Amino acid sequence: MGRITQPLRERSLDYASFSDPILVTRAKDGDARALEALCVRHAPRVERLARHLLRDPEDARDAAQEALAKVCVRLGQFRGESQFSTWLHRLVVNTCKDVAQAKWSRRTEPLLEDTRVARDGDPQRALAESESRRELGRCLAELPEAQATVVALKDAFDVSFEEIATATGMPVGTAKCYAHRGRNGLREKLSA
């Protein structure tokens, strides 16, 4: 007669035939095969529930895997006051909530492509613009005060002639005349 190398009891165990309470008890006692049998048995139900709750297939797959990993870690917290499937259901629902909340908190809006040319990317251009602004300011300061005020309000700040008239106390026609004279004066000074 040949020798039996494995105990007869261990060879004959069919974990798939055990009930959830037996598998839970064995898994809590450190039986890795019982824990594996629990996860394999309930994995399809966990995946269906996650897909139902999250709708996004990738998020559902991630949540299902995370829930099954939590079973492995938290099985010791299962007190047996309800059925294992009820406890697992609650664990999956909470995991799906966590996944949905994490996705919502990192949700972003797609940015439209910005096709504008960077103005500050060209140092020579920036220098030329800075010099132009300085020269324009100098020439504007040389104009009569009323003309300089009207030109600045109208051309730099896009204020209407009616608003300029109200702010300065001059008639609208006078504001238009000062704008015309001031622009001509600036043209002459800048071209000289």
Side-chain angles (χ1 to χ4, degrees):
M1 216 165 153
R3 294 182 97 197
I4 298 176
T5 57
Q6 210 175 19
L8 183 60
R9 187 175 76 89
E10 286 297 320
R11 269 188 324 159
S12 64
L13 291 180
D14 178 20
Y15 283 85
S17 66
F18 290 166
S19 67
D20 283 352
I22 292 172
L23 288 174
V24 167
T25 302
R26 291 184 66 97
K28 281 183 167 185
D29 290 339
D31 187 340
R33 289 178 60 200
L35 182 60
E36 179 185 359
L38 268 175
C39 290
V40 168
R41 176 180 294 167
H42 292 281
R45 184 179 306 142
V46 167
E47 290 170 5
R48 276 193 310 274
L49 179 59
R51 270 195 316 272
H52 174 74
L53 293 172
L54 293 175
R55 306 288 179 181
D56 182 280
E58 289 182 34
D59 289 342
R61 208 173 8 259
D62 291 345
Q65 289 176 356
E66 188 174 333
L68 290 172
K70 285 180 181 179
V71 167
C72 297
V73 174
R74 297 182 181 174
L75 188 61
Q77 296 173 0
F78 176 62
R79 295 186 303 257
E81 295 170 354
S82 62
Q83 291 184 358
F84 174 75
S85 58
T86 304
W87 179 80
L88 179 61
H89 180 89
R90 188 80 248 147
L91 188 105
V92 174
V93 169
N94 289 337
T95 302
C96 288
K97 281 182 184 178
D98 294 343
V99 167
Q101 188 174 20
K103 183 177 182 177
W104 183 84
S105 68
R106 68 177 183 268
R107 185 180 66 197
T108 59
E109 295 292 326
L111 296 175
L112 298 176
E113 184 178 350
D114 188 359
T115 57
R116 296 177 296 170
V117 177
R119 296 176 54 107
D120 58 352
D122 184 5
Q124 289 178 334
R125 183 177 178 174
L127 179 62
E129 287 176 355
S130 174
E131 289 175 0
S132 294
R133 281 192 301 273
R134 191 176 306 116
E135 181 68 15
L136 181 61
R138 185 187 60 74
C139 291
L140 195 57
E142 293 176 4
L143 290 177
E145 186 177 341
Q147 289 179 14
T149 300
V150 172
V151 169
L153 289 172
K154 182 64 183 159
D155 296 338
F157 298 106
D158 197 30
V159 177
S160 72
F161 284 116
E162 291 76 16
E163 292 172 315
I164 292 172
T166 303
T168 60
M170 66 177 75
V172 173
T174 304
K176 288 180 180 180
C177 180
Y178 282 174
H180 178 72
R181 287 182 187 166
R183 289 175 186 146
N184 285 339
L186 280 176
R187 250 185 242 108
E188 288 174 11
K189 291 178 185 301
L190 289 170
S191 63

